[in-house]
Amino acid sequence: MDNIQLLKKLWNDYSQRTPSAQKVKDLFESEGNHVANDHIAFRTFDDDKINIDVLATAFTKNGYVFKADYHFKKKKLYAKHFEHKTDKNAPLIFISQLITRALSSELQNAIKSILNTADFSTVTPESLIYSGRLWDKPSYALYLKLLAESEYAAWLYVNGFCPNHFTVNVNKLSTFNNLQDVNSFLKTNGFKMNTSGGEIKGTPNQFLEQSSILADKISIEFQEGIYNITSCYYEFAYRYKIGGKLFKGFIADSADKIFESTDMVLN
């Protein structure tokens, strides 16, 4: 599967899980914009069978190379970003993983048990990125335990391997001049923004500004019944020039707050 086919498959999977993203994309296009992807993000555990480097296989075999890494001590995460060697229009790839050794022993054992039920023989390193949930039907009681300590772990337990978010390249929108205008447009059309750390994360001095709408909720069949759980969200990025070229990296403090777009608020 070449890069164009892969990105199309990932978008189709993502937009089914995230109806809001397709609605936003359609709204932008109805205003006369071409919607380009700035980056796509994924989540995983730090297990050797499914860690960042394994998950990145589908991209590294299609011309992507490692560029930088990031640490999120509070959320117990490590991440890397990848760029395409020759295609400047290809989206960046951002993959994070949960540092399980930093969790309580109870959660470490729970994650080991989850992965022990997974059938990894059904996937290849190249197909892992879009393989969904490979382990047994989730338990809502276990989901709540994970959620209490790590929202990231709880989200991954339910959603499995899929794009956590796509990101609109605001620089390439023809009818919007900045991220403030994009956010106003989204709110006018009824979308709720992630306000953790402010509606806009980052500053021109950091060469990157980001915002996002809150994740959609989808119905998940648990062992105990059906519950509505956060799925994925849509992000928006505006980049500034450094040394005459647009900044191509990420800001850890901003990404830390963007992660919270999938936070689950229990009623």
Side-chain angles (χ1 to χ4, degrees), residues 11 28 63 93 133 139 170 183 185 188 204 206 241:
W11 172 264
F28 281 140
I93 302 299
R133 189 175 61 240
S139 157
V170 176
N183 289 356
F185 176 74
T188 298
Q206 294 174 305
K241 287 185 177 180

Side-chain angles (χ1 to χ4, degrees), residues 194-227:
N194 169 358
T195 58
S196 178
E199 236 179 51
I200 293 179
K201 297 89 165 89
T203 67
N205 289 336
Q206 294 174 305
F207 307 106
L208 173 62
E209 292 179 329
Q210 297 166 269
S211 67
S212 59
I213 57 175
L214 294 178
D216 283 358
K217 288 185 178 180
I218 57 175
S219 294
I220 298 291
E221 185 178 350
F222 289 87
Q223 295 171 21
E224 300 91 333
I226 296 175
Y227 295 86

Side-chain angles (χ1 to χ4, degrees), residues 5-244:
Q5 293 171 320
L6 176 61
L7 295 175
K8 184 177 181 180
K9 180 174 181 56
L10 291 170
W11 172 264
N12 289 339
D13 179 24
Y14 163 78
S15 58
Q16 287 178 6
R17 294 171 179 266
T18 322
S20 290
Q22 188 64 58
K23 291 176 184 176
V24 170
K25 185 173 183 289
D26 291 343
L27 279 170
F28 281 140
E29 290 175 343
S30 71
E31 296 285 313
N33 296 281
H34 167 69
V35 178
N37 292 316
D38 178 87
H39 68 273
I40 311 170
F42 303 85
R43 296 180 178 185
T44 191
F45 294 115
D46 59 356
D47 185 278
D48 287 345
K49 296 185 291 296
I50 54 171
N51 64 19
I52 290 173
D53 292 333
V54 176
L55 212 62
T57 302
F59 299 104
T60 54
K61 287 202 169 184
N62 273 312
Y64 276 85
V65 293
F66 165 74
K67 281 296 181 178
D69 62 356
Y70 310 87
H71 299 269
F72 305 89
K73 291 184 179 180
K74 186 177 178 181
K75 288 185 171 59
K76 303 176 179 64
L77 305 174
Y78 172 67
K80 293 181 179 181
H81 104 253
F82 301 79
E83 296 177 22
H84 200 278
K85 285 185 291 188
T86 57
D87 185 356
K88 293 182 179 179
N89 293 316
L92 306 178
I93 302 299
F94 184 94
I95 307 176
S96 57
Q97 66 185 26
L98 185 64
I99 304 170
T100 53
R101 66 178 181 275
L103 301 174
S104 66
S105 57
E106 182 181 11
L107 256 68
Q108 288 184 53
N109 291 331
I111 291 169
K112 286 179 183 177
S113 295
I114 291 166
L115 295 180
N116 283 340
T117 71
D119 185 2
F120 293 111
S121 67
T122 62
V123 296
T124 63
E126 291 87 350
S127 66
L128 180 63
I129 201 80
Y130 50 77
S131 61
R133 189 175 61 240
L134 295 173
W135 36 86
D136 291 345
K137 183 187 295 184
S139 157
Y140 191 67
L142 179 52
Y143 170 79
L144 293 178
K145 276 189 178 181
L146 294 170
L147 189 64
E149 187 172 337
S150 170
E151 185 278 333
Y152 185 105
W155 186 93
L156 184 54
Y157 173 50
V158 171
N159 288 279
F161 302 104
C162 63
N164 173 256
H165 64 268
F166 273 67
T167 308
V168 173
N169 183 333
V170 176
N171 297 73
K172 292 187 177 181
L173 295 177
S174 57
T175 67
F176 296 89
N177 296 317
N178 51 56
L179 200 52
Q180 290 90 337
D181 289 347
V182 167
N183 289 356
S184 295
F185 176 74
L186 293 168
K187 288 186 290 185
T188 298
N189 282 280
F191 294 95
K192 293 183 178 179
M193 308 300 298
N194 169 358
T195 58
S196 178
E199 236 179 51
I200 293 179
K201 297 89 165 89
T203 67
N205 289 336
Q206 294 174 305
F207 307 106
L208 173 62
E209 292 179 329
Q210 297 166 269
S211 67
S212 59
I213 57 175
L214 294 178
D216 283 358
K217 288 185 178 180
I218 57 175
S219 294
I220 298 291
E221 185 178 350
F222 289 87
Q223 295 171 21
E224 300 91 333
I226 296 175
Y227 295 86
N228 290 328
I229 303 298
T230 53
S231 59
C232 312
Y233 62 94
Y234 214 5
E235 186 185 325
F236 314 91
Y238 187 86
R239 296 180 179 275
Y240 294 84
K241 287 185 177 180
I242 177 172

